[in-house]
Amino acid sequence: MNAEALAPWASEPQRSRGRRRHEALAPPRNEHQRDRDRIVHSTAFRRLVYKTQVFINHEGDLFRTRLTHSLEVAQLGRSVARALRLNEDLVEAIALAHDLGHTPFGHAGQDALQACMAEHGGFEHNLQSLRVVDSLEVRYPDFDGLNLTFETREGILKHCSPRHARRLAAAEPGGPAQRFIDGTRPSLEAQLVDLADALAYNAHDIDDGVRAGLISLAQLGDVPLFAHWRSEVLAQHPALAGQPGRRLLFETLRRMLSAQIADLVQTTAALLADAASPDADAVRALPRLVRFGDALHAQQAELKTFLFRELYRHPQVVQSTAVARTVVGELYAAYTTRPQEMPADYAGAGNLPRAVADYIAGMTDRYALREHHRLTGRRLFEH
Ligand code: MG
């Protein structure tokens, strides 16, 4: 994308706050394109293909994984970025990296690791994503991590508790954790990826939930955001009502996504025009500018409540997440008692609980299951 095409409040690559370790520029790529390429070539990125989003990876080949989720977030984010003349490359880099720190087995894995690490500094997937790109990737001769630009790292650190923010900001004053202390916002591109993430999972979790047979189109009739677009589809294509198959679902989701993107672009463009911010730095001090309209925001909240009640807490999902928690908890116990079961660079690390957490967090679902079987002799899932 040409720099001239960017809006004045977009993050321009040539005005980046830079990398922690200085590196020469690499034309023709700009610095955010280069970040994106480093992320795509990382080991952690390739592991996303075998990590659970909601459904455990072995439950079916067509469910979203962390990788396909991240690609959908990048696609939605880039569409909006282009419409608003924000930095598409930065949006893409943040989107592709935003889930790199997720454990195997989705939120169940993260909850289990959090419990194990409660006395050892805790575990949080946003912090872990930053840790992956800052130190855990081992690819360069002179430094650990990917040495990404400030703007990409800022977008990756989406949430951060005050305790962690103080610790990170003490180690790196003015770094990506500083805003949680100062109470400022991240770049518009980071604000956008945050919303594109929710936009993606709200839609694809409906699709996956219906595919798994855990939620039905009839139930979704109670969710206004979905019901509105379904009636529109049925009004134009009445034959779909009695048809088996998934055309009605897909067409409804397609319209629902397009409508939300249109609302996001329109609402944000109006806020940006009112704010008339001079540049990308000034927007950090303003209230959040990348937003959905209030009416749509309320409808999205209803959808989220529905998904929590009917899908994320569905007995079948809860049952497999309980098993996942057992796997992660028992792996943690096994490696802390017998560190020699881990590769040498983890086994020999100074802080053993943190090394174990890093090792487990990096695992794919199926690798975690294989390791669990090897170390305990028990097979909790087929794998
Ligand atoms: Mg995500």
Side-chain angles (χ1 to χ4, degrees):
M1 188 172 196
N2 291 334
E4 321 66 276
L6 293 180
W9 37 72
S11 301
E12 287 180 40
Q14 64 274 29
R15 297 191 60 202
S16 167
R17 293 190 199 175
R19 305 177 189 278
R20 286 193 297 171
R21 305 223 2 172
H22 175 77
E23 291 185 66
L25 298 176
R29 291 179 300 165
N30 71 47
E31 290 302 273
H32 296 131
Q33 290 171 334
R34 200 177 183 196
D35 280 358
R36 173 204 56 207
D37 298 348
R38 287 180 181 198
I39 291 158
V40 169
H41 288 274
S42 70
T43 307
F45 185 73
R46 285 195 297 283
R47 288 180 174 145
L48 293 178
V49 73
Y50 293 115
K51 285 190 171 194
T52 290
Q53 180 70 20
V54 172
F55 294 90
I56 307 284
N57 198 236
H58 71 265
E59 291 178 319
D61 292 343
L62 296 179
F63 296 120
R64 265 67 176 190
T65 66
R66 290 269 169 217
L67 181 69
T68 58
H69 162 71
S70 301
L71 295 174
E72 290 182 32
V73 175
Q75 182 273 313
L76 294 166
R78 287 182 59 184
S79 292
V80 177
R82 185 169 293 203
L84 292 170
R85 294 192 299 132
L86 297 178
N87 181 342
E88 247 181 275
D89 301 317
L90 176 56
V91 164
E92 189 178 19
I94 297 171
L96 295 178
H98 87 283
D99 273 351
L100 289 180
H102 266 287
T103 61
F105 313 121
H107 281 277
Q110 128 124 2
D111 291 349
L113 208 47
Q114 211 160 30
C116 296
M117 291 295 287
E119 305 295 313
H120 308 284
F123 179 88
E124 210 276 300
H125 68 85
N126 278 296
L127 291 181
Q128 191 68 10
S129 296
L130 189 62
R131 197 167 152 72
V132 166
V133 300
D134 279 357
S135 43
L136 296 180
E137 280 289 321
V138 180
R139 314 187 71 79
Y140 291 88
D142 299 330
F143 52 81
D144 289 338
L146 303 178
N147 197 32
L148 302 180
T149 62
F150 169 82
E151 293 76 17
T152 303
R153 296 174 64 231
E154 171 193 52
I156 291 172
L157 193 62
K158 189 160 89 164
H159 304 290
C160 189
S161 68
R163 181 170 62 99
H164 287 302
R166 281 192 296 274
R167 178 175 59 78
L168 291 175
E172 187 187 357
Q178 189 69 43
R179 71 181 176 90
F180 298 98
I181 294 168
D182 300 344
T184 55
R185 252 65 49 204
S187 71
L188 298 174
E189 287 80 1
Q191 295 181 30
L192 169 53
V193 175
D194 191 10
L195 297 186
D197 188 17
L199 208 48
Y201 63 67
N202 281 337
H204 66 49
D205 288 351
I206 293 178
D207 181 10
D208 283 354
V210 171
R211 184 184 299 282
L214 303 186
I215 52 178
S216 68
L217 283 178
Q219 274 176 302
L220 283 159
D222 298 334
V223 182
L225 182 58
F226 186 89
H228 173 80
W229 297 107
R230 189 182 59 174
S231 349
E232 196 193 78
V233 176
L234 284 173
Q236 287 171 18
H237 306 278
L240 288 181
Q243 266 185 30
R246 308 168 57 79
R247 289 180 204 268
L248 175 58
L249 174 65
F250 289 148
E251 185 59 20
T252 304
L253 289 176
R254 182 178 296 122
R255 291 182 190 209
M256 201 179 97
L257 273 174
S258 299
Q260 291 177 93
I261 286 184
D263 179 282
L264 178 58
V265 169
Q266 201 180 5
T267 308
T268 305
L271 288 169
L272 287 168
D274 281 351
S277 185
D279 61 40
D281 255 332
V283 295
R284 289 185 167 84
L286 298 175
R288 191 182 176 97
L289 294 171
V290 183
R291 291 182 48 184
F292 293 102
D294 291 338
L296 181 61
H297 183 77
Q299 288 194 333
Q300 290 169 329
E302 283 178 277
L303 168 58
K304 204 165 282 201
T305 307
F306 169 86
L307 286 171
F308 260 97
R309 197 180 57 229
E310 304 298 335
L311 181 62
Y312 309 143
R313 294 196 191 125
H314 189 285
Q316 204 172 310
V317 173
V318 170
Q319 193 202 353
S320 61
T321 56
V323 179
R325 256 198 297 278
T326 306
V327 171
V328 169
E330 293 185 357
L331 281 178
Y332 183 87
Y335 293 130
T336 42
T337 358
R338 290 177 281 151
Q340 70 277 12
E341 299 288 357
M342 296 189 292
D345 41 342
Y346 289 94
N351 181 343
L352 181 62
R354 183 58 58 194
V356 171
D358 286 339
Y359 186 49
I360 295 175
M363 291 180 181
T364 60
D365 292 10
R366 58 189 194 164
Y367 185 73
L369 290 172
R370 279 203 297 268
E371 277 293 277
H372 182 265
H373 180 235
R374 180 178 76 82
L375 294 166
T376 67
R378 285 179 301 122
R379 208 182 274 277
L380 295 182
F381 283 125
E382 284 310 308
H383 54 93

